[in-house]
Amino acid sequence: QVQLVESGGGLVHAGGSLRLSCTLSKFTLDYYVIGWFRQAPGKEREAVSCISAAEGNPKYVDSVKSRFTISRDISRNTAYLQMNDLKPEDTAVYYCASYWSFLSECRLDAKEYGYWGPGSQVTVSS
């Protein structure tokens, strides 16, 4: 059974930075996509970014491009979401999620993801 453990959330002022981590247990990131999603209070869950299983190619939604960077360390079986220039509208619970893949492209459709972490709160004050 795939398990995901997140860490790195917290409170930061606008313009600040945080890095989220997501560690995949029992299986290797070589065959699992990692995606990041977020849900703000009263809003629908939305995709943020993903990184492909093969080649580690990233994908981002427009609202975070140039501010967020997704990466991974295969040796640690861990993916990261570096978030810079944070804005109050980035405040949300952030979830990492995963699905099995052998492709060099990832998808940002939540329906693809069968495994989810418990979530990590990110709060950005103005």
Side-chain angles (χ1 to χ4, degrees):
Q1 180 72 17
V2 171
Q3 290 184 324
L4 300 166
V5 178
E6 301 149 351
S7 61
L11 172 65
V12 65
H13 291 299
S17 298
L18 284 174
R19 189 178 77 160
L20 300 178
S21 300
C22 176
T23 299
L24 178 72
S25 68
K26 297 188 178 181
F27 298 97
T28 174
L29 288 179
D30 290 317
Y31 293 102
Y32 282 84
V33 167
I34 296 292
W36 288 97
F37 295 80
R38 65 187 181 185
Q39 187 166 20
K43 294 188 176 181
E44 296 286 319
R45 180 178 56 191
E46 63 174 352
V48 175
S49 179
C50 63
I51 188 163
S52 69
E55 301 179 10
N57 295 318
K59 186 176 288 185
Y60 304 93
V61 295
D62 288 345
S63 61
V64 306
K65 279 181 182 176
S66 79
R67 300 189 298 123
F68 290 12
T69 302
I70 192 170
S71 62
R72 65 181 186 174
D73 184 337
I74 296 290
S75 67
R76 296 179 183 270
N77 238 22
T78 299
Y80 305 95
L81 186 68
Q82 177 66 44
M83 304 183 292
N84 298 329
D85 189 24
L86 282 160
K87 304 176 181 182
E89 51 264 41
D90 294 317
T91 295
V93 177
Y94 283 70
Y95 299 91
C96 71
S98 186
Y99 67 88
W100 184 89
S101 169
F102 58 87
L103 302 177
S104 59
E105 182 178 3
C106 57
R107 298 177 183 174
L108 286 170
D109 183 350
K111 296 176 183 177
E112 297 282 345
Y113 293 78
Y115 306 103
W116 291 80
S120 183
Q121 178 70 46
V122 171
T123 303
V124 184
S125 63
S126 56

